[in-house]
């Protein structure tokens, strides 16, 4: 198929390899996680790539002419595929399924930096990588373009995922534009309506399962991995082609910084695909001598879904060259089962107790000299509001990264002058209910009238002001407001 790319099991004691035409994402020998690996010299010789990152920048000319672009130029309008030499599994450009995803930017946030105790001078401080600007409103589009491209290469016509919301929104969008049948499994409990609305609108067959996200993921893995006769392609982040696309988030961060490596990457941790993809990006760039050092990583869990924080910080799980202590993880899962413990957080995108990429996340923490923290829901909402107040905007899960950047500054783990990139993973409009409740006290589940029923829940609450239908009253209120 593509001679310079193959799949390899990440467990060094297994190390099984197979061609990328494989239709199921996990290792044929041990059922563990796989990486897409490349013969870089061969790939780059065939693509005529010298390792000079300036070619990516030259392709970034905006949308002008994109509508009738043909061939390789069509890919240049994508913030993922203009870096195509760094994810060369796609074979022919005709295979690439793209909607112009990943046209996101790194935003310097000096005012926020100051509030979090950073000196925003000499390039230091807080930078926000604004992934809510993707076509479906979350970073997931970076990965989905990779997985749909692979699905096209192998001729898949049906795709499935379990989702806390954004994966299903992105899958449904890519499926609709590429003529693939979409199936999404949504667990009981929290799903943000912005995300559910997208899955329904784009026409995905949506199953509301009486079980949580972790249970749904178990079911779709069985469908995708153990029932090949159904021919349904698995789109969760256990799929290594998704992680190939998500590497591009780091390529864009580097590009925005003139290929100067920042000091820290701070990212919320849910199923742990993003942090895993980021580390793979940096490992490969280092191997290609395109960067000379690797930034540090901070993964921020929600308090109510802190499996990585627990196994890493309390139980001492470490990557250990791939021979990590599986007993620690198994023991923690058994304990959660025995206690009937379910993930629970307002940040529904990271409400996950059995992160599928946990082994790759341990590798990421090793490669990037990482740390893990968790933050509670109240804190998440305050930092989400802080981001919004400064004109950026994100959903609750993304607020965890900014909260983490503050916590680590206060602990002294991150220095005041360091350059810190926080990933804003999803758009503020994904979960309008929690935003309106935070600011106004309106119980959005109980009705839509604007009269607040309760008290605002947040310290930065910006409460709507009730006013009579009268010009003098309105002018008075403008003065008071
Ligand atoms: C999926 C998602 C996450 C979690 O990312 P992982 O790669 O699963 O760790 C965080 N924030 C948002 C908005 C998401 O959609
Ligand atoms: Zn294996």
């Amino acid at each position: 198929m593509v001679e310079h790319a193959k799949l390899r099991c990440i467990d060094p004691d297994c190390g099984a390899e197979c061609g990328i035409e494989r239709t199921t994402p996990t290792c044929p020998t041990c059922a563990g996680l796989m990486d897409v690996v490349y013969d870089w010299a061969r790939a780059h010789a065939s693509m005529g790539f010298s390792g000079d990152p300036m070619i990516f920048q030259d392709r970034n000319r905006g949308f002008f002419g994109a509508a009738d672009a043909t061939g390789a130029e069509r890919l240049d309008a994508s913030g993922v595929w203009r870096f195509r030499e760094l994810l060369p599994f796609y074979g022919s450009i005709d295979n690439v399924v793209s909607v112009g995803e990943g046209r996101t930017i790194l935003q310097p946030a000096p005012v926020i930096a100051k509030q979090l105790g950073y000196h925003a001078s000499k390039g230091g401080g807080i930078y926000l990588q604004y992934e809510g600007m993707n076509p479906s409103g979350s970073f997931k589009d970076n990965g989905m373009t990779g997985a749909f491209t692979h699905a096209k290469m192998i001729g898949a016509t049906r795709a499935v995922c379990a989702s806390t919301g954004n994966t299903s929104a992105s899958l449904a969008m890519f499926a609709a534009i590429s003529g693939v049948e979409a199936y999404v499994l949504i667990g009981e409990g929290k799903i943000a309506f912005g995300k559910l609305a997208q899955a329904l609108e784009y026409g995905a067959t949506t199953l509301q399962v009486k079980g949580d996200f972790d249970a749904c993921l178990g079911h779709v893995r069985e469908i995708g991995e153990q029932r090949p006769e159904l021919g349904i392609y698995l789109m969760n982040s256990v799929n290594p082609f998704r992680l190939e696309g998500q590497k591009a988030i780091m390529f864009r961060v580097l590009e925005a910084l003139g290929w100067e490596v920042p000091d820290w990457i701070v990212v919320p941790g849910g199923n742990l695909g993003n942090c895993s993809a980021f580390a793979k990006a940096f490992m490969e760039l280092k191997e290609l001598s395109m960067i000379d050092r690797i930034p540090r990583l901070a993964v921020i869990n929600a308090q109510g879904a802190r499996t990585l924080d627990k196994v890493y910080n309390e139980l001492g799980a470490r990557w250990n060259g791939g021979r990590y202590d599986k007993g620690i993880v198994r023991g923690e899962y058994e304990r959660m089962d025995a206690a009937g413990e379910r993930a629970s957080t307002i940040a529904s995108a990271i409400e996950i107790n059995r992160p599928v990429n946990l082994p790759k996340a341990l590798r990421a923490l090793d490669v990037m000299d990482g740390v893990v923290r968790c933050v509670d829901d109240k804190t998440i909402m305050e930092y989400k509001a802080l981001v919004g107040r400064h004109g950026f905007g994100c959903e609750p899960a993304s607020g965890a990264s900014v909260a983490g950047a503050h916590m680590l500054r206060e602990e002294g783990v991150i220095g005041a002058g360091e350059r810190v990139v926080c990933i804003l993973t999803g758009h503020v409009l994904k979960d309008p209910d929690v935003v309106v409740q935070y600011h106004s006290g309106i119980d959005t589940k109980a009705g839509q009238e604007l009269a607040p029923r309760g008290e605002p829940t947040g310290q930065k609450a910006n409460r709507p002001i009730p006013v009579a239908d009268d010009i003098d009253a309105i002018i008075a209120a403008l003065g008071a407001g």
Side-chain angles (χ1 to χ4, degrees), residues 58-286:
D58 291 343
R59 290 170 180 165
N60 188 13
R61 287 183 300 255
F63 281 119
F64 305 109
D68 42 43
T70 54
E73 283 190 348
R74 180 175 68 88
L75 274 54
D76 295 351
S78 161
V80 173
W81 296 103
R82 70 186 156 85
F83 299 98
R84 52 192 171 272
E85 284 82 359
L86 301 176
L87 54 155
F89 69 82
Y90 56 92
S92 151
I93 54 173
D94 296 330
N95 291 328
V96 172
V97 179
S98 168
V99 293
E101 58 289 321
R103 298 196 60 84
T104 63
I105 37 181
L106 185 68
Q107 308 261 9
V111 183
I112 293 176
K114 219 171 149 197
Q115 294 193 31
L116 305 193
Y118 289 89
H119 304 317
S121 62
K122 297 201 198 89
I126 299 285
Y127 292 72
L128 303 173
Q129 177 65 18
Y130 200 16
E131 290 299 310
M133 279 171 62
N134 271 287
S136 85
S138 84
F139 79 82
K140 297 293 197 298
D141 294 346
N142 290 280
M144 228 27 105
T145 186
F148 269 84
T149 295
H150 182 249
K152 185 166 178 184
M153 292 170 78
I154 62 168
T157 57
R158 306 164 86 192
V160 71
C161 73
S163 181
T164 61
N166 281 330
T167 303
S168 58
S170 184
L171 182 154
M173 181 185 74
F174 276 96
I177 63 142
S178 61
V180 166
E181 284 294 320
Y183 303 92
V184 308
L185 271 65
I186 284 168
E188 268 180 335
K190 299 188 196 87
I191 176 159
F193 272 16
K195 308 174 186 182
L196 180 60
Q198 289 176 293
L200 299 176
E201 187 85 351
Y202 291 129
T205 300
T206 304
L207 308 184
Q208 286 180 280
V209 177
K210 288 199 192 312
D212 63 6
F213 171 83
D214 292 310
C216 290
L217 184 59
H219 295 313
V220 296
R221 288 190 69 170
E222 189 172 339
I223 291 167
E225 291 164 9
Q226 292 155 36
R227 304 290 300 275
E229 76 280 7
L230 297 173
I232 306 184
Y233 186 87
L234 181 56
M235 290 281 181
N236 280 98
S237 58
V238 62
N239 181 324
F241 298 95
R242 256 192 58 188
L243 302 196
E244 287 305 289
Q246 287 169 216
K247 294 190 305 193
I249 301 168
M250 292 300 106
F251 303 153
R252 295 195 295 274
V253 165
L254 288 169
E255 188 177 74
L257 297 173
W259 290 84
E260 256 182 49
V261 179
D263 298 307
W264 287 85
I265 304 291
V266 188
V267 63
N271 233 347
L272 305 176
N274 238 0
C275 60
S276 302
F278 297 172
K280 186 168 189 281
F282 288 115
M283 281 191 280
E284 292 173 346
L285 290 171
K286 185 99 192 299

Side-chain angles (χ1 to χ4, degrees), residues 116 190 195 266-270 299-306 344-352 373-389 393-407 423-426 428 431 434-435 438-439 457-460:
L116 305 193
K190 299 188 196 87
K195 308 174 186 182
V266 188
V267 63
V299 182
I300 314 300
N301 277 161
Q303 177 91 51
R306 57 176 289 262
S344 176
T345 166
I346 196 164
S348 53
I350 52 175
E351 190 174 52
I352 295 171
R373 293 292 183 275
C374 72
V375 288
D376 65 25
D377 283 5
K378 237 176 128 44
T379 308
I380 283 173
M381 290 304 289
E382 290 304 328
Y383 287 87
K384 186 196 70 62
L386 175 72
V387 169
R389 187 67 189 77
C394 63
E395 63 169 282
S398 319
S401 62
V402 181
H406 193 190
M407 180 186 263
I423 313 300
L424 299 184
T425 44
V428 64
D431 198 346
V434 297
V435 181
Y438 174 95
H439 286 290
T457 53
Q459 289 169 18
K460 294 179 193 64

